Amino acid sequence: MEVGRVAEVISPIIHANSSARHGQTAWSLSGQHTGKTDIELTEAGRKEALAVSPLFERLLDGRGLDAVYSSPRKRALQTLELALGATTTPAVTDLLAEFDYGEYEGLTAKEIRKLVPGWTFWTHPCPGGETMAQAASRADRFITMLLERHGEAADEPDSTVCAVSHGHMIRILAARFLELEPQQGRIFDIKTASLAEFVEKDRDFVVSRWNLTA
């Protein structure tokens, strides 16, 4: 299976899994933490998503997508439509929604560190939001669902699946695909409107491509 990310990211999955991160928004540009706030792409973000479409076609290399999954946020759905076409109908799931930042929603890391010196997303909690364990549980449930539906042990293995999600959630997903602790998502940099690809080999996932942009 192959998996990938675009909205913030798009990726083909299960034989190959692609994930994608969505394109630019006003808050991704300013560095504000954007979890549940349902903002749309900027004009630049729309252009990013359109530009990644031919890149995605080259990665697929003539293969069709067996399934497409997306976060319910507008920025993810807009990216998906622009990158894959208006006729693509995704299965929308909260499992791919961005991390819930609670009281830190809309704040930049610099603003948060004025309240909590030394704060980082990977080492400190977000009051009123998700815990890292809760986000990792969502990632694990998504991966389990993919394996059951599209993995090597499924009725139709060698599937290519696309998942569209968000910056922090994609990094947590990447860590969990590789059986790392969710905090190890910090080692994966990721740009808006970028593609990643994970390939299932002998029931394990390997990173085939990462952070590709147009």
Side-chain angles (χ1 to χ4, degrees):
M1 171 200 356
E2 297 181 12
V3 182
R5 163 199 183 204
V6 164
E8 290 199 319
V9 172
I10 283 178
S11 73
I13 265 183
I14 293 203
H15 153 64
N17 175 19
S18 294
S19 63
R21 183 185 178 192
H22 62 72
Q24 182 194 90
T25 68
W27 281 17
S28 69
L29 182 62
S30 64
Q32 292 169 264
H33 287 81
T34 319
K36 292 184 175 181
T37 304
D38 207 9
I39 60 178
E40 300 186 0
L41 299 178
T42 61
E43 184 58 32
R46 294 178 63 84
K47 291 179 179 179
E48 285 179 337
L50 280 170
V52 85
S53 181
L55 173 61
F56 198 75
E57 289 182 6
R58 291 198 298 273
L59 289 179
L60 288 174
D61 192 27
R63 300 191 307 269
L65 285 171
D66 297 286
V68 178
Y69 297 90
S70 178
S71 158
R73 302 292 176 253
K74 291 178 182 176
R75 55 196 185 273
L77 293 169
Q78 288 174 336
T79 299
L80 186 152
E81 179 177 335
L82 291 166
L84 296 181
T87 59
T88 302
T89 303
V92 177
T93 172
D94 285 332
L95 297 178
L96 292 174
E98 181 57 295
F99 194 93
D100 181 355
Y101 301 109
E103 296 175 15
Y104 294 157
E105 180 82 2
L107 299 181
T108 65
K110 184 177 180 179
E111 289 172 332
I112 298 170
R113 281 193 283 270
K114 289 181 179 179
L115 303 172
V116 183
W119 182 91
T120 75
F121 171 77
W122 302 104
T123 59
H124 289 67
C126 293
E130 274 186 297
T131 65
M132 191 65 67
Q134 288 170 331
S137 175
R138 284 201 286 125
D140 290 346
R141 296 201 306 275
F142 180 70
I143 294 169
T144 296
M145 179 184 70
L146 288 179
L147 290 171
E148 290 175 347
R149 295 180 181 180
H150 311 288
E152 291 178 351
D155 292 336
E156 298 182 5
D158 294 336
S159 302
T160 299
V161 179
C162 175
V164 184
S165 188
H166 309 267
H168 279 136
M169 194 61 202
I170 287 175
R171 294 165 75 181
I172 292 169
L173 273 166
R176 299 307 296 148
F177 270 124
L178 301 177
E179 299 184 2
L180 301 174
E181 292 299 316
Q183 290 85 351
Q184 294 304 308
R186 63 184 175 78
I187 68 176
F188 299 100
D189 186 26
I190 194 160
K191 299 175 182 177
T192 54
S194 62
L195 302 179
E197 184 176 60
F198 297 84
V199 178
E200 186 185 14
K201 293 186 177 181
D202 299 325
R203 306 290 179 90
D204 290 322
F205 280 102
V206 298
V207 181
S208 178
R209 297 177 176 90
W210 182 260
N211 212 20
L212 300 183
T213 63

